[in-house]
Amino acid sequence: SNSPATHESYLVVGGCGFLGRHIVEQLLGRGETQVSVFDIVQRHFDNNVTFYIGDLSKPEDVDNALNKSKATVVIHTASPAHGLGRAIYEKVNVDGTRTLLDAVVESSSTVRKLVYTSTGGVIYSGKEDMVNADERLDYPAVPLDAYNETKVAAEKMVLRSNGEGDLLTCAIRPVGIFGPGDRQMINGFYSVIKNGQTKWQIGDNTNLGDFTYVGNVAHAHLLAADKLGTTYPYSSLRDPISSIDISLG
Ligand code: NAD
């Protein structure tokens, strides 16, 4: 169910992507009137949205979008897809996220809240099973791959920026996202069927992996933005790490 409109000015970075587009549609759906998108390509054409086409790793492109949109809330979902080379991840996830953060902590910036789309992969080493893992778990010493390594770097920068000036930040860690507009997962499912590989089972069927519907992931981003700045009694989240059960595979 939709939360009420806040009438903030939203800039969805990566807003022409799969998740980004759902975030844009949910913002419009709850009656937000100031919704802008920053993306390197324009895949949607929409009269209710202002599109700023540019590269996240170029300060002049980012400044242009922030200045013109007068964004107060930034939702940063941009990333190259999983499975590419290291250089593009360094450029977009690390340099790009740094460029964005540098711009939003400027004293002249209108941005007060930033929500970052991280990934569950930031705490996964690939070496051990994870059961009921949550945000108390530390990053693994050796990241899974270049994609996840740069998502860790970006997430750390985002979380460190919380409280700089009057900026509030948080990061959300979805795992596999499915739903209309998906540009990655469905290709894999399709090729498994096309290649007759449905008889294969990986593992002994005791491990669970989560997929989340894209609408729910988008909704989580709206709620995170709405609630950033709300003070909760945090004590229960500061329980010692030993309360997490990590069983070795
Ligand atoms: P997507 O590729 O559909 O969307 C990403 C968007 O970022 C694209 O529109 C792309 O054009 C844009 N982008 C890429 N480089 C850019 C740059 N240099 N400057 C500006 N824009 C740029 O991917 P998605 O599946 O919607 O993923 C969104 C976010 O969710 C990503 O941060 C990804 O790491 C994260 N995530 C996705 C999944 C999943 O299963 N899809 C799982 C966990 C985390």
Side-chain angles (χ1 to χ4, degrees):
S1 65
N2 253 339
S3 32
T6 61
H7 303 294
E8 302 255 17
S9 175
Y10 291 87
L11 181 67
V12 184
V13 177
C16 288
F18 167 44
L19 173 62
R21 181 62 193 178
H22 281 269
I23 292 171
V24 166
E25 285 178 357
Q26 288 192 13
L27 288 169
L28 295 173
R30 77 178 189 183
E32 302 295 351
T33 50
Q34 298 175 79
V35 181
S36 303
V37 161
F38 179 83
D39 204 299
I40 201 161
V41 291
Q42 185 161 3
R43 286 192 206 85
H44 297 275
F45 295 84
D46 191 329
N47 291 333
N48 303 318
V49 178
T50 311
F51 290 89
Y52 299 98
I53 301 309
D55 183 343
L56 188 59
S57 63
K58 290 197 175 135
E60 62 274 24
D61 292 356
V62 172
D63 287 344
N64 177 59
L66 289 172
N67 292 337
K68 289 193 179 147
S69 66
K70 296 193 171 50
T72 53
V73 181
V74 170
I75 302 182
H76 170 18
T77 75
S79 169
H82 189 248
L84 306 172
R86 171 176 291 272
I88 189 72
Y89 297 131
E90 294 281 351
K91 184 174 155 69
V92 181
N93 294 344
V94 183
D95 299 346
T97 301
R98 186 184 298 115
T99 302
L100 179 64
L101 288 168
D102 285 349
V104 302
V105 301
E106 282 278 315
S107 58
S108 58
S109 169
T110 49
V111 178
R112 297 291 168 262
K113 294 175 176 183
L114 184 142
V115 178
Y116 177 61
T117 317
S118 180
T119 168
V122 295
I123 52 167
Y124 184 53
S125 70
K127 295 197 180 82
E128 54 200 35
D129 293 341
M130 305 183 76
V131 180
N132 296 332
D134 66 15
E135 61 271 41
R136 290 167 292 184
L137 198 65
D138 207 353
Y139 304 105
V142 182
L144 192 58
D145 55 23
Y147 168 83
N148 285 290
E149 185 177 335
T150 59
K151 294 293 283 188
V152 169
E155 187 189 275
K156 282 183 177 172
M157 285 190 277
V158 166
L159 297 179
R160 265 201 308 266
S161 301
N162 183 48
E164 266 194 55
D166 47 10
L167 181 70
L168 297 170
T169 68
C170 72
I172 296 184
R173 296 171 174 173
V175 191
I177 310 174
F178 73 96
D182 158 45
R183 307 186 308 126
Q184 292 182 65
M185 191 104 55
I186 199 75
N187 294 325
F189 291 164
Y190 182 74
S191 63
V192 160
I193 293 167
K194 194 175 149 209
N195 299 331
Q197 293 172 324
T198 51
K199 62 184 177 296
W200 301 105
Q201 176 176 305
I202 299 168
D204 59 5
N205 215 17
T206 55
N207 285 41
L208 295 174
D210 275 343
F211 290 96
T212 314
Y213 178 63
V214 64
N216 294 337
V217 181
H219 189 208
H221 283 70
L222 269 62
L223 293 178
D226 294 348
K227 297 293 180 191
L228 256 181
T230 309
T231 309
Y232 295 101
Y234 280 117
S235 54
S236 63
L237 279 179
R238 294 206 174 129
D239 286 349
I241 198 88
S242 60
S243 64
I244 301 174
D245 170 18
I246 301 164
S247 55
L248 295 173

